[in-house]
Amino acid sequence: MSEESADLTPPQHIAIIMDGNGRWAKKRLQPRFMGHRAGVKSVETIVKRCIERNVAVLSLFAFSSENWRRPSKEVTLLMELFALSLKQQVKQLHKNNIRLQIIGDVSKFSASLQKQITQAEQLTIVNTGLIVNIAANYGGRWDITQSVQQLAEKVKTGEILPEDITEEAISAGLTTSKIPEPDLFIRTGGEQRVSNFLLWQMAYTEFFFTDTLWPDFNGTELDKAISSFCQRERRFGKTSEQLRDNK
Ligand code: IPE
Ligand code: IPE
Ligand code: MG
């Protein structure tokens, strides 16, 4: 791809699979939990850098619908860390004009964690800066399924017809319906897979993989991903010539 055809528009929405916490801890002969704790620090760093880079939405995969399969002690510690981080960070996020949103099936969380989530979302709902979208008990297949189920209910009541189940209608029922689709997807920790993250929403997202473990991921690393993104040509099915001639 030639330099001049590069898309220099920075990503509006960055979605990250924050992977590698466990291996980071293992390398230091520490329990996995220490890696998760160190990972929270990276979240703070990356949120700051996203604000500096004028990113509109940052989506972070914190806990997948498959992560319940981990040893129950790790799951409990992750839930506690989530609750503690919310408690410690919400005021600061609010001060920084950040809007916090949680996507995922939160009904599986404890009542107190659910309450904390609702309070954090309500407190920051008025904010107009960066949207931080935390995916917790999230699965891409779950998201699509719950959207289609809502539509099926409407078909049942006669509110809509089967042919009204369009791509737009399915998109409108997703947990991310109010935010743009991710422009750039980053996965740290060396694995090159999507692990049931934003499946529908990433149909045209640019992917960036790095071996850096999440607790080591920092502003410079984010900048590398952003500059890689800026050198790509997003064709959305068209040809380079069409893009150049604006057709
Ligand atoms: C990502 O790090 C955090 C969560 C999935 C909660 P991992 O815990 O998956 O770390 P690795 O992949 O085992 O190193
Ligand atoms: C994906 O990481 C989920 C999160 C980072 C929250 P995993 O470590 O759970 O993914 P797999 O199991 O290796 O695909
Ligand atoms: Mg992992």
Side-chain angles (χ1 to χ4, degrees), residues 180-230:
E181 289 178 355
D183 301 296
L184 171 62
F185 163 78
I186 300 170
R187 180 169 188 146
T188 63
E191 311 297 352
Q192 303 197 352
R193 53 178 173 253
V194 176
S195 298
N196 201 13
F197 197 20
L198 300 158
L199 297 181
W200 177 283
Q201 298 88 333
M202 298 208 297
Y204 262 104
T205 300
E206 296 293 330
F207 284 27
F208 183 91
F209 296 100
T210 169
D211 288 336
T212 304
L213 305 172
W214 177 249
D216 292 327
F217 194 77
N218 57 25
T220 312
E221 297 268 332
L222 182 74
D223 285 348
K224 267 192 227 163
I226 293 177
S227 70
S228 164
F229 172 87
C230 288

Side-chain angles (χ1 to χ4, degrees), residues 22-235:
R23 279 164 284 161
W24 183 92
K26 198 173 172 195
K27 261 176 45 185
R28 287 166 178 72
L29 306 176
Q30 291 174 359
R32 292 179 57 83
F33 175 69
M34 296 303 279
H36 297 314
R37 233 173 60 175
V40 177
K41 292 256 178 315
S42 292
V43 172
E44 285 174 50
T45 309
I46 295 311
V47 164
K48 275 196 206 116
R49 185 56 65 107
C50 280
I51 294 171
E52 287 162 13
R53 294 288 174 261
N54 280 321
V55 171
V57 185
L58 172 66
S59 291
L60 299 170
F61 207 2
F63 190 86
S64 77
S65 43
E66 289 73 32
N67 286 145
W68 296 107
R69 297 174 186 159
R70 293 194 176 193
S72 65
K73 186 157 174 258
E74 180 168 347
V75 171
T76 307
L77 286 170
L78 280 168
M79 293 298 146
E80 284 170 11
L81 184 64
F82 187 25
L84 183 72
S85 308
L86 270 181
K87 197 173 153 199
Q88 289 176 341
Q89 304 289 330
V90 165
K91 278 202 189 107
Q92 196 57 33
L93 294 173
H94 187 44
K95 247 197 219 154
N96 288 318
N97 196 26
I98 291 167
R99 181 167 175 186
L100 190 69
Q101 293 182 156
I102 313 295
I103 57 164
D105 184 5
V106 293
S107 71
K108 299 288 180 297
F109 294 145
S110 71
S112 68
L113 183 52
Q114 286 186 52
K115 194 171 154 202
Q116 249 190 301
I117 288 172
T118 313
Q119 282 173 347
E121 287 181 330
Q122 280 173 356
L123 177 73
T124 61
I125 200 166
V126 290
N127 294 339
T128 53
L130 177 71
I131 295 175
V132 175
N133 204 20
I134 308 273
N137 193 21
Y138 181 86
R141 288 180 175 177
W142 164 82
D143 203 0
I144 298 165
T145 306
Q146 65 79 29
S147 171
V148 174
Q149 276 176 357
Q150 291 178 47
L151 293 169
E153 280 297 331
K154 289 186 185 163
V155 173
K156 194 169 127 191
T157 59
E159 215 177 306
I160 61 167
L161 295 167
E163 52 265 41
D164 295 324
I165 303 180
T166 57
E167 290 188 12
E168 289 72 25
I170 293 173
S171 293
L174 296 174
T175 55
T176 51
S177 62
K178 295 195 172 57
I179 53 179
E181 289 178 355
D183 301 296
L184 171 62
F185 163 78
I186 300 170
R187 180 169 188 146
T188 63
E191 311 297 352
Q192 303 197 352
R193 53 178 173 253
V194 176
S195 298
N196 201 13
F197 197 20
L198 300 158
L199 297 181
W200 177 283
Q201 298 88 333
M202 298 208 297
Y204 262 104
T205 300
E206 296 293 330
F207 284 27
F208 183 91
F209 296 100
T210 169
D211 288 336
T212 304
L213 305 172
W214 177 249
D216 292 327
F217 194 77
N218 57 25
T220 312
E221 297 268 332
L222 182 74
D223 285 348
K224 267 192 227 163
I226 293 177
S227 70
S228 164
F229 172 87
C230 288
Q231 277 156 38
R232 301 180 193 188
E233 182 182 63
R234 300 182 80 190
R235 290 193 283 276

